[in-house]
């Protein structure tokens, strides 16, 4: 929902909820009929079901109607003028399109000087988003080839331009972090972690963040991204001596230390790294059981 | 609570369709054609069945009104076969819409069906559903934009 729901004095009864839902369904159906007429330019009275479903998803996106509706949203929608709400949704999307352009430009300008085909191809594809995005009928779609895998993917539930904005913001967070390391150090590490890091669909942030956490655990300078075999062995012994819950805490502590050393002001960036450190814990648990950390930290 | 995307016809849609067909009787009486209330209800019920069968969705009163307007003066339709012909034409219409890959508007398709039915098919729905639509869709698929709506169906039609 758009966040414009009014607070209810009391929760809706089951009967009230059903009556309002029926009213919403009728209004949505009539609105879908209107949109499909516009789509076919009044040339066709019927549409393939899949196309009608897509038009429905598109208009729900613009109207700000999610798959599940809380009581407040039901109350608001039952009384809403869908034409006005749709026009408002379109205005919101147009503003967001300006934001996408800004985020895309920043993403291109702050791109790490590390070659990666899927990243550059994805950014090239997003460039045409503005031309391809059909917000009047298929606003929930993302007409771009988003091949580059982020460390923390944008939620698929978002859809359309909201997904793209979340994706670009996450990319910017990753790029800002990668940019803290000398390029030659990052490239040297990526060469060890994934020799074909240019051509493969890999995420650049993950190995760099993991190694930086590893170097921090070893008490070294994270910007070097460099660990000796002895240091990896020492980390292994330290983590092995801890129960899993403590291991996770040790990793997040290291991530927080890294944030302090790098003077990371942005809460988003700090949270992003800490989330990654948390996600590293089960990988480390598995690696320790398998006999070593060589697939997590690289010497 | 979930928003459901239901393909079931709304009550209002059904009564809207019935009203539209009842109105058509005023126009078709001069051709000796009239639909009873039961026949209208049957046609409307079959409309939704045909849509479901052809995986299509329709919001307005439906295509029957247009079909009646286009076919009521056909020399091959009389009171006896009126309802059965409409049932078949309605079914064929939604089928043809899919076959024509959405490249024909409703009016273009109806014109084409009318041309075929009153022309080479000589009122044969079997011919219309077979050779006529096959030729039409073959042309749509091969040519796309440069089609014509009227064409002969002789042997040289394969050249299209």
């Amino acid at each position: 929902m758009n966040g414009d729901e009014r607070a209810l004095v009391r929760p809706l009864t089951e009967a009230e909820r059903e009556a309002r839902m029926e009213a919403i369904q009728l209004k949505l159906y009539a609105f879908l009929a209107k949109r499909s007429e516009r789509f076919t330019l009044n040339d066709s009275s019927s549409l393939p079901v899949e196309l009608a479903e897509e038009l429905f998803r598109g208009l729900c996106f613009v109207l700000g109607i999610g798959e599940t509706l809380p009581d407040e949203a039901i109350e608001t929608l039952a009384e809403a003028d869908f034409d006005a709400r749709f026009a408002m949704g379109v205005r919101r999307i147009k503003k967001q399109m300006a934001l996408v352009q800004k985020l895309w430009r920043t993403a291109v300008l702050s791109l790490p000087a590390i070659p990666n085909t899927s990243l550059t191809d994805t950014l090239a594809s997003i460039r045409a988003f503005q031309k391809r995005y059909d917000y009047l009928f298929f606003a929930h779609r993302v007409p771009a080839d988003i091949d580059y895998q982020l460390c923390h993917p944008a939620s698929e539930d978002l859809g359309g331009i909201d997904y793209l904005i979340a994706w670009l913001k996450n990319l910017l967070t990753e790029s800002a972090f990668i940019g803290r390391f000398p390029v030659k150090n990052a490239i040297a590490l990526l060469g060890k972690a994934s020799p074909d890091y240019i051509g493969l669909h890999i995420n650049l942030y993950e190995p760099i963040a993991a190694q930086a956490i590893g170097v921090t655990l070893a008490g070294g300078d994270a910007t070097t991204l460099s660990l000796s075999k002895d240091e990896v062995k020492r980390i292994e012994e330290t983590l092995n001596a801890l129960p899993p819950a403590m291991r996770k805490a040790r990793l997040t502590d290291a991530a927080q230390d890294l944030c302090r050393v790098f003077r990371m002001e942005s809460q988003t960036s700090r949270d992003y790294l800490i989330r990654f450190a948390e996600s590293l814990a089960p990988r480390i648990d598995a690696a320790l059981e398998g006999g070593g950390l060589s697939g997590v930290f690289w010497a | 609570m979930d928003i459901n995307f239901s393909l079931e016809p709304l009550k209002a849609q059904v009564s809207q369709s019935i009203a539209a067909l009842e109105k058509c009787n005023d126009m078709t009486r001069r051709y000796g054609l009239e639909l009873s209330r039961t026949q209208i209800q049957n046609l409307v019920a079959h409309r939704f069945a045909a849509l479901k069968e052809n995986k299509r969705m329709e919001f307005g009163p439906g295509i029957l009104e247009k079909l009646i307007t286009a076919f009521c003066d056909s020399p091959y339709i009389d009171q006896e076969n009126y309802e059965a012909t409409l049932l078949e034409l309605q079914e064929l219409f939604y089928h043809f819409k899919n076959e024509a890959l959405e490249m024909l508007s409703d009016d273009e398709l109806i014109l084409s069906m009318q041309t075929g039915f009153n022309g080479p098919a000589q009122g044969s729905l079997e011919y219309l559903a077979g050779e006529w639509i096959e030729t039409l869709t073959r042309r749509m698929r091969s040519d796309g934009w440069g089609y014509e709506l009227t064409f002969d169906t002789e042997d040289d039609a394969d050249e299209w």
Side-chain angles (χ1 to χ4, degrees):
Chain A
M1 291 298 300
N2 289 339
D4 57 350
E5 303 92 1
R6 286 162 299 174
L8 288 175
V9 180
R10 59 169 177 79
L12 295 174
T13 64
E14 196 53 41
E16 285 173 333
R17 193 176 296 123
E18 270 183 28
R20 282 164 179 72
M21 278 305 287
E22 202 180 320
I24 293 170
Q25 297 270 19
L26 278 172
K27 279 167 67 171
L28 267 178
Y29 199 88
F31 198 68
L32 176 60
K34 202 190 260 189
R35 297 304 304 158
S36 71
E37 255 180 40
R38 183 71 68 90
F39 181 77
T40 64
L41 299 172
N42 230 352
D43 256 1
S44 181
S45 67
S46 62
L47 293 170
V49 167
E50 306 87 60
L51 180 56
E53 283 172 343
E54 281 292 279
L55 287 172
F56 181 74
R57 287 191 197 104
L59 76 87
C60 280
F61 183 88
V62 180
L63 292 171
I65 298 175
E67 278 181 16
T68 51
L69 296 177
D71 280 2
E72 294 79 5
I74 291 175
E75 191 72 357
T76 307
L77 283 172
E79 291 169 21
D81 171 352
F82 278 11
D83 282 309
R85 200 178 167 95
F86 190 82
M88 202 169 73
V90 167
R91 280 198 297 276
R92 177 185 76 93
I93 289 173
K94 282 182 178 171
K95 274 187 195 162
Q96 284 177 313
M97 282 175 82
L99 176 61
V100 163
Q101 196 176 13
K102 195 176 159 189
L103 289 171
W104 178 82
R105 288 178 70 87
T106 312
V108 170
L109 292 172
S110 62
L111 201 62
I114 302 169
N116 180 272
T117 310
S118 71
L119 178 53
T120 46
D121 284 356
T122 300
L123 284 171
S125 175
I126 293 172
R127 185 178 198 172
F129 176 81
Q130 204 139 351
K131 279 183 191 161
R132 292 189 199 152
Y133 189 42
D134 187 351
Y135 54 85
L136 289 175
F137 295 108
F138 304 110
H140 62 298
R141 289 183 183 169
V142 184
D145 299 321
I146 313 282
D147 291 332
Y148 183 68
Q149 307 293 314
L150 291 171
C151 173
H152 300 311
S155 168
E156 297 278 348
D157 294 341
L158 289 171
I161 199 158
D162 293 338
Y163 172 86
L164 192 55
I165 287 171
W167 192 92
L168 283 167
K169 281 182 174 173
N170 282 6
L171 178 68
L172 285 173
T173 302
E174 292 189 7
S175 294
F177 182 79
I178 295 170
R180 292 174 183 276
F181 299 90
V183 175
K184 64 176 175 48
N185 295 354
I187 287 180
L189 169 72
L190 289 166
K192 291 178 197 168
S194 176
D196 188 15
Y197 65 90
I198 299 173
L200 286 178
H201 285 228
I202 61 145
N203 173 260
L204 301 177
Y205 176 93
E206 276 184 19
I208 292 172
Q211 188 79 347
I213 288 171
V215 177
T216 306
L217 283 171
D221 173 6
T223 58
T224 63
L225 293 173
S226 170
L227 285 168
S228 67
K229 281 183 181 168
D230 285 347
E231 284 171 322
V232 173
K233 192 77 191 157
R234 264 209 321 276
I235 297 170
E236 197 178 305
E237 284 163 3
T238 309
L239 294 177
N240 223 352
L242 297 171
M246 293 284 285
R247 246 178 244 157
K248 191 175 182 179
R250 185 71 194 87
L251 288 167
T252 52
D253 284 349
Q256 272 162 348
D257 286 346
L258 197 54
C259 292
R260 269 191 296 277
V261 171
F262 280 161
R263 295 184 183 165
M264 284 163 67
E265 299 288 329
S266 155
Q267 186 64 45
T268 309
S269 300
R270 287 201 297 266
D271 290 346
Y272 204 90
L273 184 64
I274 288 162
R275 260 176 74 201
F276 170 70
E278 285 168 356
S279 72
L280 202 55
R283 273 175 58 196
I284 286 182
D285 293 345
L288 288 172
E289 274 177 32
L293 293 176
S294 56
V296 184
F297 304 122
W298 294 271
Chain B
M1 186 167 275
D2 291 352
I3 283 280
N4 298 314
F5 184 77
S6 172
L7 301 181
E8 295 304 313
L10 300 175
K11 279 180 196 163
Q13 215 182 353
V14 174
S15 47
Q16 193 187 11
S17 304
I18 290 173
L21 294 190
E22 279 174 342
K23 215 173 162 192
C24 283
N25 277 338
D26 297 339
M27 174 190 56
T28 58
R29 266 186 211 107
R30 68 182 131 139
Y31 301 105
L33 303 172
E34 191 169 0
L35 291 167
S36 68
R37 179 83 183 175
T38 314
Q39 286 176 320
I40 287 175
Q41 283 169 341
N42 188 34
L43 280 164
V44 171
H46 274 83
R47 168 197 170 194
F48 294 113
L51 283 166
K52 205 167 189 173
E53 174 74 28
N54 288 287
K55 295 187 171 66
R56 297 187 70 82
M57 194 165 180
E58 195 167 50
F59 301 97
I63 206 63
L64 274 169
E65 202 181 339
K66 280 191 173 180
L67 286 172
I68 289 172
T69 308
F71 284 87
C72 66
D73 63 351
S74 168
Y76 302 103
I77 297 180
D78 55 28
Q79 182 61 32
E80 192 134 329
N81 66 11
Y82 186 36
E83 184 199 5
T85 306
L86 284 177
L87 279 170
E88 187 70 22
L89 286 172
Q90 178 176 240
E91 165 74 35
L92 287 176
F93 175 84
Y94 294 124
H95 176 66
F96 289 178
K97 278 295 272 194
N98 285 344
E99 289 293 307
L101 307 174
E102 307 300 318
M103 285 191 277
L104 287 179
S105 72
D106 288 354
D107 292 343
E108 286 172 328
L109 181 52
I110 289 173
L111 177 63
S112 171
M113 287 169 71
Q114 187 190 21
T115 308
F117 185 77
N118 291 335
Q122 294 180 61
S124 162
L125 288 163
E126 203 179 327
Y127 182 92
L128 192 70
E131 286 184 51
W132 184 260
I133 196 60
E134 203 180 297
T135 314
L136 178 71
T137 51
R138 192 169 58 234
R139 187 184 300 173
M140 292 301 301
R141 285 178 173 144
S142 62
D143 197 12
W145 301 107
Y147 62 90
E148 288 176 11
L149 286 170
T150 53
F151 52 96
D152 61 48
T153 52
E154 291 173 8
D155 293 339
D156 62 354
D158 281 344
E159 286 176 21
W160 287 86

